Amino acid sequence: MNPRLPIVLLSAAALLVLPATAATAGGGHHGSTKPGYSSGPDKGKPGSSKPAPGKPGTPAPAPADLCGGKRAGEQIAWDSYTCEKATGYFLYKKLDTRKPAAFHNSGPQHRVALHPVWAWPSADGSLRHGASTKLPKKAEIIPLELGTEDAAAVCAAPEAYGLQVDLVGNGIAGTRVDLATVVPTVIVPPSSGFAPEILAYYGHYDVKKLVDLGTLCDAGEVVPAPAPEPTPEPTQAPTPTPEPSVTPTPSPEPTPVEEVVVAPEPSPTPTERAEVLPAPAETPTPAVTTPSAPTPTPTATERAEVLSATDDGDTLAATGAQVTVGLLAALAAIAGGAALVLARRRQSTDG
């Protein structure tokens, strides 16, 4: 048996094992194995870099299409990666506001920025939480900028928000994809939204330590200005219709009631007394005379009332005509009485 045969076999085995162990990832991200999807490219393809030319006497560099890998289809060591890069910033509300930002403390995330390079929002590494076990040797610093709605939410509850930062690339040698199409716009834990061969590095930040809250919340740029209310056109007040003046109706003056003067009932005219003058004295003839009974003198004021009987039994009212009739009757009675007196006296004289 050839004594050199074992050495040759060991050398061949080493050549087969070394390339497979050379490719190492920067650590799996959040335990996800499903690739993410995006609504479309935002800023075009990330930039690319070319490997530095080799020095004389050194091994020839890997082909550019392998992006730092040794063989096509093999995992590329991220610290050797040389092709397109991209970084996504994802804002989320923490499940427990008392704890620092981390994937296990993250609610649903939405993308707020996509950069075509590897980047961190702050140069202060102490602000980074829950990061991958390895970090890139070089990365740019791109501060976090928030849109109006996101800024308003952060200003309303600064303790409640975290930021996830994902640095991605084409981790399989010979495989090139547009990174802008594989960086998702929404991530819902526990899914990370990335395939392990795409995600290179990651980290989490408390948003309140990444922004100047005084500038963000007091500058008046956060709350969208309310839409100006349309100035209402002044409407001309309707001319008030003058109410017709009501002429007060004069109260009717009381019609003076004519006083009806009731003529007093005329008192009966005093009855004229008929005075009988004595006849001229004659020489009396002596004779025997028989004294006669004295004749009653009629009452001076006898009043004769004439009652008028009607067919229906009504009695005439005592009116002026009735008074006149009464007067005439009285006068007739007086005249009759006087005539009777005169007759008696004549009789007495003749006798």
Side-chain angles (χ1 to χ4, degrees):
M1 181 177 179
N2 190 348
R4 294 183 180 180
L5 182 59
I7 297 174
V8 172
L9 293 175
L10 290 174
S11 300
L15 291 175
L16 293 174
V17 172
L18 286 176
T21 58
T24 58
H29 182 52
H30 323 305
S32 172
T33 58
K34 296 180 180 180
Y37 296 93
S38 174
S39 59
D42 289 350
K43 297 184 179 180
K45 295 182 179 180
S48 61
S49 59
K50 295 182 180 180
K55 296 181 180 179
T58 59
D65 56 353
L66 295 181
C67 299
K70 301 297 182 179
R71 291 183 178 85
E74 294 181 351
Q75 179 74 40
I76 304 172
W78 290 115
D79 55 359
S80 302
Y81 182 71
T82 58
C83 290
E84 296 87 358
K85 301 175 183 178
T87 300
Y89 288 1
F90 297 86
L91 183 70
Y92 60 87
K93 194 170 185 179
K94 295 189 290 184
L95 300 178
D96 189 344
T97 59
R98 298 169 298 177
K99 296 180 180 180
F103 187 75
H104 62 269
N105 194 26
S106 168
Q109 306 177 4
H110 64 277
R111 193 176 72 193
V112 295
L114 178 63
H115 303 296
V117 294
W118 284 349
W120 298 115
S122 174
D124 187 354
S126 65
L127 302 180
R128 191 165 44 241
H129 305 287
S132 53
T133 56
K134 292 185 178 181
L135 300 176
K137 296 178 181 179
K138 294 181 179 181
E140 299 186 22
I141 304 301
I142 303 177
L144 172 64
E145 295 182 1
L146 295 174
T148 301
E149 294 183 3
D150 292 329
V154 170
C155 290
E159 300 283 343
Y161 287 87
L163 184 74
Q164 175 175 298
V165 179
D166 292 325
L167 287 68
V168 299
N170 286 303
I172 301 298
T175 303
R176 307 287 290 275
V177 296
D178 183 0
L179 296 178
T181 65
V182 296
V183 177
T185 57
V186 175
I187 295 176
V188 181
S191 172
S192 69
F194 293 98
E197 66 273 10
I198 296 296
L199 183 63
Y201 308 102
Y202 54 87
H204 292 261
Y205 296 82
D206 288 314
V207 174
K208 68 175 184 177
K209 297 182 179 180
L210 294 177
V211 296
D212 184 349
L213 292 175
T215 302
L216 181 68
C217 303
D218 298 338
E221 300 177 357
V222 174
V223 181
E229 297 181 359
T231 304
E233 297 181 0
T235 57
Q236 185 176 2
T239 305
T241 304
E243 297 181 359
S245 59
V246 179
T247 304
T249 304
S251 301
E253 296 181 359
T255 304
V257 179
E258 296 181 0
E259 295 182 0
V260 179
V261 179
V262 180
E265 185 176 347
S267 58
T269 305
T271 305
E272 295 181 2
R273 293 182 180 179
E275 294 182 0
V276 180
L277 297 177
E282 295 181 359
T283 303
T285 300
V288 179
T289 58
T290 303
S292 61
T295 302
T297 304
T299 304
T301 58
E302 286 187 0
R303 184 175 181 182
E305 294 181 0
V306 180
L307 297 178
S308 174
T310 60
D311 295 336
D312 57 358
D314 292 333
T315 304
L316 291 175
T319 61
Q322 193 175 21
V323 173
T324 304
V325 172
L327 290 175
L328 293 175
L331 290 175
I334 292 171
L340 181 60
V341 171
L342 290 176
R344 293 261 182 124
R345 282 192 178 187
R346 284 180 183 177
Q347 184 180 3
S348 62
T349 301
D350 291 337

